[in-house]
Amino acid sequence: MKTEGDAMRDWRTLSLVVLALVILIFIANIHLEVRGEVENVDISSRFIHSAVVSFIMVNGALFLMTLALSHKHAKLIEQALGTFLAAVAGVLLFGLLVDSGMTVSGVATDVWSQFSMGGIRIMIASFAILLAFGASFGLLLTLVTGREAPPDPLLDLESTSFENEEE
Amino acid sequence: MLIEEYLLTHYWLPMFLLPLGIGMAIATERGRRLAGCGLLLLIAIAIISHPERLDASSEGWSLHLLISLIGPIVALLFGIWFALFSGPIPVAPMPRNVRPFGFALMILSLSWFCWMLFEARPALDGVPNPWWQHLATSLLTSMIIIAGFAAAFVLVMGDERKKEAVIMSILSLASFLLLIYLLAEGTTSDDPVFWRSSSWGTLGDLGGMLFGGGFALMLFVTLVWLGEKRMAVPSEVEPLSIDESTRVKEILKENLEGGA
């Protein structure tokens, strides 16, 4: 039986695997960028825009889900108002960022164009993550449940004949 | 720049209302569930009845991308469904000879995607879809991490799962090699420079999504915690009256005698 320490160790191992893979992808990208030319992407602007737009979208979605699933014991003041205000704060921060000149290249520099492009990019990336998750874990589930196991003798027993089957 | 009215009514508003529709559709009350299903139907109709050509806007192109991928996605979903439920499982089993067909559908889905990647980039009247590279690099990057995680997961948490771990590792490694090939060699329609730029941008996007989305979720957990913390201490429960304790004793006696 696994103890709490074992579970911690297991999750630490899994986190390290994910971290190693992320570093591997970054190294591959850097290596290939050094080898050949690359368009100016400005990864830091993309990161910041993406973080703020994701923050707005997740808070907005949580706000709407809270409203949709509200019940008499729900903490509406804290959850709904909190997520709504957080989304509004995110919108204001995004407007401030764009007005201060931190824009993503290849898109018109007004706030709506920058936001809509960021939003579509995030929705497509979320769709890709969902697809990768479904494909990987769907295949894994298929493989895991495909293993043949010896038939369980308990399945042969009938509920009325327990005493007769006893040895 | 002012937003086009049709984009607001046929793209952004339906996208905005989607969480509300999903939330209502999974609610416990029947009335709310029905309203949620109705809202989801309206959202679908609003998006399908997009009044302009899909190549007229970036939003339209994103819908075009989704339509282009319907074939491989349907093949994948049906493949998983057939292979999963025709295996040795006691729940809703299908005939066992359907299982190879399920795996064949999964391979068809993968081949279809690779064909689109190398030979037939989604396009409309000869104009290539501008979101394709973003989706392909996001998918491959996510697949490397998720399949790699799944391989480590079955190895660490499972019992005698080496075969499954090897298959998931192969999936992760194959995605990595495919991504590297695209970054180094490109495809017939796209120079590697564009793939490298797309991959860099995707890394920024995925990192930002992880950070911003994770921060929003942590904030939500904190809000729930604050709500629970502010809850008043429940008042003390009154002791049972004589009638109530007599009734409880009766029930206990009845059940204890019956069980003996």
Side-chain angles (χ1 to χ4, degrees):
Chain A
M1 191 180 154
K2 288 193 170 188
T3 63
E4 199 176 330
D6 290 335
M8 280 284 287
R9 189 197 59 205
D10 291 348
W11 282 106
R12 207 178 296 138
T13 310
L14 292 174
S15 310
L16 279 175
V17 169
V18 170
L19 190 67
L21 288 169
V22 172
I23 291 171
L24 191 71
I25 295 167
F26 262 97
I27 290 173
N29 271 275
I30 291 168
H31 178 69
L32 286 163
E33 189 192 8
V34 172
R35 263 186 55 191
E37 57 179 311
V38 62
E39 280 183 334
N40 182 23
V41 175
D42 198 3
I43 191 170
S44 56
S45 297
R46 287 279 285 263
F47 177 87
I48 293 167
H49 272 232
S50 217
V52 180
V53 176
S54 296
F55 182 77
I56 296 167
M57 286 174 125
V58 172
N59 269 308
L62 286 171
F63 166 67
L64 291 172
M65 291 284 263
T66 305
L67 290 187
L69 295 168
S70 67
H71 51 87
K72 63 179 178 180
H73 299 298
K75 301 280 165 290
L76 277 182
I77 300 291
E78 288 83 0
Q79 290 175 30
L81 191 66
T83 47
F84 177 73
L85 288 178
V88 170
V91 170
L92 291 174
L93 178 66
F94 187 80
L96 215 66
L97 281 175
V98 175
D99 283 343
S100 64
M102 184 176 275
T103 54
V104 169
S105 56
V107 187
T109 51
D110 62 289
V111 176
W112 173 252
S113 299
Q114 291 279 325
F115 181 81
S116 60
M117 280 300 126
I120 298 171
R121 260 202 309 266
I122 283 169
M123 283 192 282
I124 291 174
S126 307
F127 177 64
I129 292 171
L130 207 66
L131 209 58
F133 197 83
S136 299
F137 279 89
L139 179 64
L140 182 62
L141 192 64
T142 307
L143 294 170
V144 165
T145 54
R147 184 158 73 179
E148 294 281 356
D152 189 345
L154 286 175
L155 290 174
D156 294 333
L157 296 177
E158 288 178 27
S159 58
T160 51
S161 62
F162 268 30
E163 287 173 13
N164 297 339
E165 297 285 339
E166 271 181 4
E167 289 181 34
Chain B
M1 193 180 89
L2 275 176
I3 179 174
E4 298 269 4
E5 196 183 315
Y6 80 91
L7 287 177
L8 201 63
T9 52
H10 291 272
Y11 190 88
W12 289 108
L13 189 62
M15 289 292 179
F16 176 73
L17 290 175
L18 195 61
L20 188 69
I22 294 172
M24 287 170 80
I26 59 170
T28 44
E29 296 99 345
R30 189 179 146 75
R32 205 184 291 196
R33 228 174 26 238
L34 279 174
C37 292
L39 183 58
L40 286 179
L41 190 69
L42 283 176
I43 288 170
I45 291 169
I47 291 176
I48 290 167
S49 63
H50 197 80
E52 293 288 326
R53 278 177 59 86
L54 293 180
D55 57 359
S57 62
S58 298
E59 288 86 345
W61 275 119
S62 71
L63 295 176
H64 175 259
L65 185 68
L66 190 68
I67 295 166
S68 310
L69 284 166
I70 282 178
I73 290 173
V74 168
L76 178 72
L77 291 179
F78 273 95
I80 291 172
W81 183 38
F82 288 153
L84 181 59
F85 287 99
S86 57
I89 56 163
V91 189
M94 286 179 174
R96 293 297 287 271
N97 50 7
V98 176
R99 196 167 165 84
F101 180 61
F103 284 112
L105 275 177
M106 283 190 221
I107 293 167
L108 171 74
S109 168
L110 180 67
S111 316
W112 198 334
F113 177 74
C114 287
W115 176 67
M116 288 170 84
L117 198 59
F118 288 105
E119 294 297 329
R121 177 178 171 164
L124 206 58
D125 291 342
V127 183
N129 190 313
W131 294 115
W132 173 246
Q133 287 175 324
H134 182 63
L135 179 104
T137 46
S138 300
L139 181 65
L140 290 174
T141 309
S142 314
M143 193 70 106
I144 295 165
I145 296 169
I146 294 171
F149 172 80
F153 185 82
V154 283
L155 210 58
V156 171
M157 304 287 190
D159 180 29
E160 296 287 322
R161 293 292 184 193
K162 283 197 180 66
K163 192 184 96 184
E164 289 84 356
V166 167
I167 292 174
M168 296 317 289
S169 305
I170 290 171
L171 189 64
S172 176
L173 194 67
S175 305
F176 183 69
L177 292 176
L178 189 56
L179 182 68
I180 294 296
Y181 180 83
L182 291 175
L183 300 186
E185 302 295 330
T187 53
T188 45
S189 58
D190 297 296
D191 196 77
V193 175
F194 300 118
W195 285 105
R196 280 178 214 140
S197 311
S198 175
S199 183
W200 262 126
T202 296
L203 285 178
D205 286 340
L206 292 176
M209 282 169 70
L210 197 68
F211 184 77
F215 186 53
L217 285 176
M218 270 168 52
L219 184 73
F220 184 69
V221 171
T222 311
L223 291 168
V224 173
W225 176 73
L226 280 176
E228 295 293 328
K229 204 180 161 193
R230 278 181 50 182
M231 242 171 55
V233 180
S235 55
E236 278 186 27
V237 180
E238 292 283 322
L240 293 178
S241 66
I242 297 169
D243 286 348
E244 284 168 342
S245 39
T246 316
R247 179 72 188 130
V248 168
K249 276 176 193 162
E250 273 174 22
I251 292 171
L252 282 174
K253 194 179 169 191
E254 207 172 284
N255 281 289
L256 287 172
E257 278 175 359

